[in-house]
Amino acid sequence: MPRLKSAADLEKLRQEILSRINGKRIISVTNGTDGRTRGSKEVVQALIQEIESQGLKEKVQLRSTGCHGFCETEPAALIFPEEICYVGLKPEDVPEIVSETLSEGKVIERLLYQYPATGQNIAKESEIPFYQPQSRIVLGNNRFVDMESIEDYIALGGYSALAKVLSEMSSEEVIDIVRGSNLRGRGGAGFTAGVKWDTTHNAPGDEKYVIVNADEGDPGAYMDRSLLEGNPHSVLEGLIIGAYAIGSHQGYVYVRQEYPLAVENVSIALKQMREYGLVGENILGSGFDFNITVHRGAGAFVSGESSALMASIEGRVGEPRPKYIRTAVSGIREKPSNLNNVETWANVPLILNKGDDWFSKIGTEGSKGTKIFSLVGKVNNTGLVEVPMGMTLREIIYKIGGGIPGGKKFKAVQTGGPSGGVIPESLLDLHVDFDELSRAGSMMGSGGMIVMDEDTCMVDVAKYFVDFLCFESCGKCIPCREGLYQMRVILNRICQGEGMEVDIELLTVLGEMMRECSLCALGQTASNPVLSSIKYFRDEYEAHIAEKRCPACVCKPLTTYYIDPEKCMACMICLRSCPVEAISGGKGEMHVINQEKCTKCGTCFEMCPDRFSAVVKISGREAPAPLKTPAG
Amino acid sequence: MKHSEQDLSTIDKIIDDYGGNRDALIQMLLGAQAEYRWLSNPVLTRLSKRLAIPLSYIYNVTTFYKHFSLLPKGRHSVSVCLGTACHVRGAARLLDRVTDSLGIGPGQTTPDEKFTLNTVNCLGCCALGPAMVVDETYHSKPSAKELEQIFAACE
């Protein structure tokens, strides 16, 4: 491939690619990390062979794509132009897909998504209730591009924003548009990107850096991974536009090493960009030089903080520093450095192409555009959802997520990861944007949305996050290091039934002190999970402390397992599966748990057939004494 | 492999690949961790000498980041995800099962150096939770029986 030397070259190439795929049927198979867990690699392999053996190579284009969003249904395939969507694919399904759908355009009913509420089969992806309320302007492109193909991205209009910027616009004009769009950082804090860019642009010095933050450390969030895996060029195009606007000639992509496929796909994308002249010297003949280096993180949550991340790029320990002088002015090697999150960068080419007016029409007054959330936990439809800012939590969880599985009751939704908080049912009509979530005591964070049902203990959840942060705190400042440790001690004793009356107040005081006094955002927000759960679920804390009762029967020391003699059918299933042989009884003889031996592993509870549901969890009182063995 | 037996030409090659650039220390350590499965003193000393960085500085870095291991690791790595989504779906029970099955706790290696068990904070496949990854293969909600099969398939 000869280097592209101008915007006209790029357009010419685009037309050429379009004419090559014109009239072809296209099949996009999800083959990201989620898909691969469920055997998508084998499906793709089978498709390659089958398309070849059925002689359709000239008529069909196969795309191995990143996640389309509805992770649950993967491996899934989307067939264009009909937009037929198949879900839960296996290699055995492939010959029929090729002979019926790819060759004839016929729909195979059994492979369609079946809507559980009506039992109806849905053929088109856009009509699936999970996707219907979404506006997938950023993540949606995953389904149109092969993860490893720069040509697919160019065919979609990729790099046209970059070409426009380099050939027609000054750096000030680019910053004005980004500022005008009011794009706010998707990594958590929600700082206005245009203002940050302007600061770095105006900071003195010739050496400046731009960085993609893909250190997605929030447990329960994976939208950045999916974007970077599925459509790396969209992020990198945004980065180059930012570099031009700011006046930087060196960029970094900081990715967690836990995301090997993202690292691989970004590296492939960079190699292609070098060949096409889209990165390196004299990009698109404009005279602008820019290089990008991939830096893998080595596993430290705190390194997602901007100053810590920059220290890590320099090969140092990833600890934050006080930010009296912002990293936008003094970052990597004390040079002005602009850092934005993956999703923020991916929005940039769209804004440049479609204009700031278009972008600022989406969303709410203070938060523009869309946001990608990972909707996970106790919800029927799990996956990545992209919605306009301002959609209510209820719409997201019930309309898109399909509600809570197993007829259970909704309890709370956790947003913002370890820095965020829990939101109770009474606030489900809250419009999700940066400001509303903060007002509720949580935060947007990077977009994790973990749904919890009645079987979730809120004290246990708070303890979970504090445990996590205790381990991840870098230990540099005392409020965070010691505050978390003390919180952990208190939460542990509450969960063990040894809580004291004063503990709730103690947790509140500690939490507020950490918010005021910690060095970086990790410590300042670390108490959010605790404080928000006290605010909304104080009764659960009180039950643990005063009644030694865990209302959700999660905390092991406060829970006992018991076999209801009225329901037990003496089927031997739990008895055989108990790992410590704590269940006595026999065929036709009532089963009884020996509480002395029981380790509370929950196996019997899981194994007891649903139609009996004889094993129950009890908290706050002793298990009833076993009945005398009935005569006969 | 014993300390003395670790082939230092591998680390030399990694250093050369990054042009001996000190800023790339973490990248070199990641490379070494992947090749040797752990970071021995001779390897770190070599890095220290060639990059002219104090050995104490290198230990500071290797002990800060979770991915680095200063102890020998097993041939197969087993990582149980304890991310939030997995947590609410019963990751703790999965970890108990894996612990029982392998006879070691998180951070430990079996005496035959076959398995090392670790916990991770999020594998980023939250729709599949509770999730576990063995070497590079991801497993979704493995049952006790499936666990046995997965471990038996490792050589």
Side-chain angles (χ1 to χ4, degrees), chain A residues 248-497:
Chain A
S248 160
H249 302 288
Q250 173 65 47
Y252 292 93
V253 182
Y254 188 103
V255 203
R256 307 169 75 201
Q257 62 80 31
E258 288 94 328
Y259 287 176
L261 189 60
V263 174
E264 189 183 325
N265 288 352
V266 169
S267 307
I268 293 170
L270 283 171
K271 190 166 165 275
Q272 294 167 337
M273 289 162 73
R274 259 175 239 124
E275 283 167 22
Y276 283 71
L278 291 163
V279 75
E281 279 173 23
N282 195 14
I283 296 172
L284 287 172
S286 65
F288 177 64
D289 305 334
F290 183 62
N291 280 306
I292 302 176
T293 307
V294 177
H295 182 101
R296 285 171 298 155
F301 177 68
V302 70
S303 296
E305 194 273 345
S306 62
S307 65
L309 185 145
M310 292 180 194
S312 183
I313 286 179
E314 292 174 33
R316 292 189 286 128
V317 159
E319 280 178 355
R321 61 156 174 84
K323 288 198 276 190
Y324 306 117
I325 303 172
R326 269 180 268 149
T327 49
V329 177
S330 175
I332 297 177
R333 288 179 274 279
E334 295 175 5
K335 307 289 180 204
S337 306
N338 179 85
L339 170 135
N340 285 117
N341 160 274
V342 170
E343 197 184 332
T344 316
W345 287 118
N347 270 288
V348 170
L350 295 172
I351 293 169
L352 268 303
N353 264 334
K354 300 191 179 180
D356 46 349
D357 280 348
W358 165 81
F359 188 78
S360 52
K361 279 195 190 103
I362 312 169
T364 61
E365 185 62 37
S367 307
K368 299 299 182 192
T370 60
K371 177 75 191 88
I372 310 173
F373 293 100
S374 63
L375 185 61
V376 295
K378 303 286 189 68
V379 60
N380 274 315
N381 305 332
T382 52
L384 295 175
V385 304
E386 183 179 350
V387 295
M389 295 273 190
M391 191 177 264
T392 65
L393 281 168
R394 192 182 300 280
E395 279 175 285
I396 297 173
I397 295 166
Y398 285 90
K399 257 188 159 169
I400 298 174
I404 317 300
K408 298 271 180 179
K409 213 172 151 287
F410 171 89
K411 184 182 269 183
V413 56
Q414 210 280 346
T415 69
S419 310
V422 289
I423 296 170
E425 193 176 10
S426 59
L427 293 178
L428 269 182
D429 290 311
L430 181 132
H431 295 271
V432 179
D433 70 8
F434 288 105
D435 311 311
E436 289 285 314
L437 284 174
S438 300
R439 266 195 286 278
S442 183
M443 70 186 281
M444 181 79 89
S446 60
M449 202 173 260
I450 296 136
V451 181
M452 297 167 182
D453 67 3
E454 55 188 312
D455 290 340
T456 313
C457 168
M458 300 319 286
V459 187
D460 174 69
V461 168
K463 182 167 90 79
Y464 166 82
F465 282 115
V466 169
D467 277 348
F468 171 85
L469 289 166
C470 224
F471 196 67
E472 294 296 341
S473 169
C474 73
K476 188 169 179 174
C477 77
I478 296 169
C480 174
R481 183 182 69 215
E482 296 304 320
L484 280 165
Y485 180 77
Q486 290 307 328
M487 275 192 163
R488 191 179 185 202
V489 169
I490 297 170
L491 287 167
N492 263 326
R493 72 172 173 241
I494 295 177
C495 288
Q496 278 168 2

Side-chain angles (χ1 to χ4, degrees), chain A residues 37-38 219-220 222 225 256-257 295-296 298-299 312 316 318 333 376-378 382 460 464 468 472 601 606, chain B residues 23 26-27 30 57 60 64-67 82-85 87-89 93 97 121-122 124 126-128 138:
Chain A
T37 316
R38 301 185 180 202
Y222 61 110
R225 193 208 70 206
R256 307 169 75 201
Q257 62 80 31
H295 182 101
R296 285 171 298 155
S312 183
R316 292 189 286 128
R333 288 179 274 279
V376 295
K378 303 286 189 68
T382 52
D460 174 69
Y464 166 82
F468 171 85
E472 294 296 341
C601 70
E606 276 169 27
Chain B
D23 282 4
I26 294 169
Q27 306 307 300
L30 283 168
Y57 182 99
N60 184 15
F64 180 82
Y65 294 101
K66 268 196 307 289
H67 184 66
L82 295 184
T84 324
H87 178 77
V88 299
R89 286 183 175 196
R93 275 204 300 285
R97 257 182 228 145
N121 287 326
C122 188
C126 311
L128 309 165
Y138 291 71

